[in-house]
């Protein structure tokens, strides 16, 4: 199994209009948050690096769940 890559959540930009969903489902985010707090490692979020910034392109629910779980880093691809 390949080693999981992690990135500090604070380095990931989410304000670049890369969110394709119309809305975030808070109930789902809270389910994910609880799973994280119970020790689950969720699938990595997709980020891309433009040479200066990391941008979230997929995994907005997971990203918010890791934030709400007070995690400092998140698995990324």
């Amino acid at each position: 199994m390949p080693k999981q890559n992690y990135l500090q959540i604070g380095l990931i930009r989410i304000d670049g209009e890369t969110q394709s969903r119309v809305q975030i489902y808070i109930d789902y985010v809270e389910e994910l948050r609880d799973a994280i707090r119970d020790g689950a490692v969720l699938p990595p979020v997709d980020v891309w690096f433009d040479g200066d910034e990391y941008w979230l392109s997929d995994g907005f629910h997971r990203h918010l769940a890791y934030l709400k779980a007070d995690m400092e880093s998140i698995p990324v691809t």
Side-chain angles (χ1 to χ4, degrees):
M1 177 176 236
K3 183 178 182 282
Q4 185 70 55
N5 292 315
Y6 284 81
L7 186 64
Q8 289 181 336
I9 292 176
L11 296 177
I12 301 172
R13 301 278 306 266
I14 60 170
D15 60 336
E17 297 184 22
T18 58
Q19 167 65 287
S20 62
R21 296 187 184 272
V22 174
Q23 67 183 26
I24 294 288
Y25 296 97
I26 295 301
D27 289 345
Y28 181 55
V29 169
E30 290 172 351
E31 278 182 45
L32 295 175
R33 177 208 58 207
D34 293 344
I36 294 164
R37 286 181 177 166
D38 288 340
V41 176
L42 304 181
V45 298
D46 294 333
V47 298
W48 54 276
F49 185 64
D50 69 2
D52 292 315
E53 306 278 354
Y54 290 94
W55 296 92
L56 185 63
S57 60
D58 184 53
F60 282 81
H61 286 91
R62 287 170 279 155
H63 178 268
L64 184 54
Y66 272 86
L67 283 173
K68 288 185 170 285
D70 296 320
M71 303 298 288
E72 293 182 12
S73 61
I74 187 170
V76 298
T77 58

